[in-house]
Amino acid sequence: MSRTLILGATLTALFVGMALLSFAWTPFDPGTLDIPAKLQPPGGVHPFGTDHLGRDILSMIMVGTRTSLGVALLALAIGLGFGVPLGLAAAMHKGRWLDEAIMRGNDIVFAFPLLVMAILITAVFGPSATNAIIAFGIFNIPVFARVTRGAALPLWEREFILAARVAGKSRARISVEHILPNVLNMLIVQGTIQFALGIQVEAALSFVGLGVQPPTPSLGRMLADAQTLVTLAPHLAIVPGVAIIGIVMGLNLLGDGLRDRLDPRLREIHG
């Protein structure tokens, strides 16, 4: 097993474990204000210090990580749930009207940058975690549709697919039973990439006030709140910033490690 995969899996497991633990326990209630204890430096009963309202930074990081992972995971599920079937359908009907309709629909979605799309959706329906999930989920659909179609097209020319067709299996059945299992490795790798991107998108939207709304802790909003206090209490920006970097780095390393592990050609190169 490669060091990249081990490091990525370790970092990812650390933050996922911290997020899961926050469902049952946090050092302090992240929503409780303690004004006399505001802006305490890291140390003592507050390992990462407190913010301008006296809230425990560690507790907020734990819940904020849970929030970011939840938003990214739900958006990823939307992308996979709609994008993979569309990609399989497009590959199944290559060159026909359905293939063209799906691909041109993907082009329309890609014409809007992700943040612009998110801003449009939140401007119409209001800022919330749900709308952030919808925005990134919509962006994920064409990503997975293209990846699935690109990986599936060469498989339709393979001998085992031709044998399945000769055996009388329908194209839909072949797609589910033979094509999908052979593109899962690419989907897993792409999923880790989109998961990491989802963390960044959630943080960016919350930073500008269009993502998760108070009182729910968010890593992006913690950074936004720290802007005016960064010289007075730098830990307010450093801690959530390091958390975002750690999560994204862990997922990216995990994706690279899985790619090397699942791709036979890369596995031969790396020994």
Side-chain angles (χ1 to χ4, degrees), residues 129-215:
T130 300
N131 291 332
I133 291 169
I134 293 172
F136 190 53
I138 292 173
F139 180 82
N140 276 337
I141 292 173
V143 172
F144 285 105
R146 285 180 177 272
V147 169
T148 304
R149 180 181 182 273
L153 283 177
L155 295 176
W156 279 100
E157 307 299 326
R158 299 284 295 275
E159 290 79 4
F160 70 96
I161 298 298
L162 296 177
R165 296 179 65 179
V166 170
K169 290 186 178 181
S170 67
R171 285 179 171 267
R173 185 177 175 185
I174 291 173
S175 293
V176 174
E177 293 183 358
H178 300 286
I179 301 294
L180 182 58
N182 283 280
V183 301
L184 277 179
N185 58 341
M186 295 191 66
L187 292 177
I188 290 172
V189 173
Q190 189 64 44
T192 60
I193 295 172
Q194 296 305 116
F195 199 1
L197 182 58
I199 301 294
Q200 299 176 65
V201 170
E202 188 281 324
L205 290 176
S206 295
F207 183 84
V208 297
L210 297 177
V212 178
Q213 297 299 297

Side-chain angles (χ1 to χ4, degrees), residues 2-260:
S2 69
R3 294 180 180 177
T4 299
L5 180 56
I6 294 173
L7 180 57
T10 301
L11 276 174
T12 302
L14 173 65
F15 284 101
V16 170
M18 183 170 62
L20 293 176
L21 178 62
S22 70
F23 281 105
W25 175 84
T26 55
F28 294 87
D29 183 349
T32 299
L33 308 185
D34 186 6
I35 302 301
K38 67 179 182 180
L39 299 180
Q40 287 188 3
V45 295
H46 300 286
F48 292 159
T50 60
D51 70 355
H52 60 296
L53 297 175
R55 295 172 294 185
D56 181 60
I57 296 295
L58 175 57
S59 301
M60 295 181 67
I61 289 292
M62 293 174 68
V63 179
T65 299
R66 182 183 76 196
T67 302
S68 295
L69 291 174
V71 169
L73 183 61
L74 290 173
L76 180 64
I78 292 174
L80 285 168
F82 289 94
V84 173
L86 287 174
L88 291 173
M92 185 169 57
H93 299 282
K94 178 187 176 184
R96 302 179 185 178
W97 68 269
L98 182 59
D99 181 26
E100 287 297 315
I102 292 173
M103 289 300 100
R104 298 298 75 78
N106 288 346
D107 292 340
I108 292 173
V109 176
F110 276 134
F112 296 90
L114 174 56
L115 286 179
V116 172
M117 181 191 303
I119 291 172
L120 286 174
I121 290 176
T122 52
V124 173
F125 299 104
S128 69
T130 300
N131 291 332
I133 291 169
I134 293 172
F136 190 53
I138 292 173
F139 180 82
N140 276 337
I141 292 173
V143 172
F144 285 105
R146 285 180 177 272
V147 169
T148 304
R149 180 181 182 273
L153 283 177
L155 295 176
W156 279 100
E157 307 299 326
R158 299 284 295 275
E159 290 79 4
F160 70 96
I161 298 298
L162 296 177
R165 296 179 65 179
V166 170
K169 290 186 178 181
S170 67
R171 285 179 171 267
R173 185 177 175 185
I174 291 173
S175 293
V176 174
E177 293 183 358
H178 300 286
I179 301 294
L180 182 58
N182 283 280
V183 301
L184 277 179
N185 58 341
M186 295 191 66
L187 292 177
I188 290 172
V189 173
Q190 189 64 44
T192 60
I193 295 172
Q194 296 305 116
F195 199 1
L197 182 58
I199 301 294
Q200 299 176 65
V201 170
E202 188 281 324
L205 290 176
S206 295
F207 183 84
V208 297
L210 297 177
V212 178
Q213 297 299 297
T216 304
S218 165
L219 300 179
R221 199 173 62 254
M222 289 175 70
L223 286 174
D225 292 341
Q227 288 184 94
T228 57
L229 299 168
V230 68
T231 56
L232 180 63
H235 66 277
L236 296 183
I238 293 174
V239 176
V242 169
I244 294 172
I245 293 172
I247 301 170
V248 173
M249 181 182 296
L251 288 168
N252 283 329
L253 290 174
L254 180 62
D256 289 343
L258 288 173
R259 181 195 61 194
D260 296 344

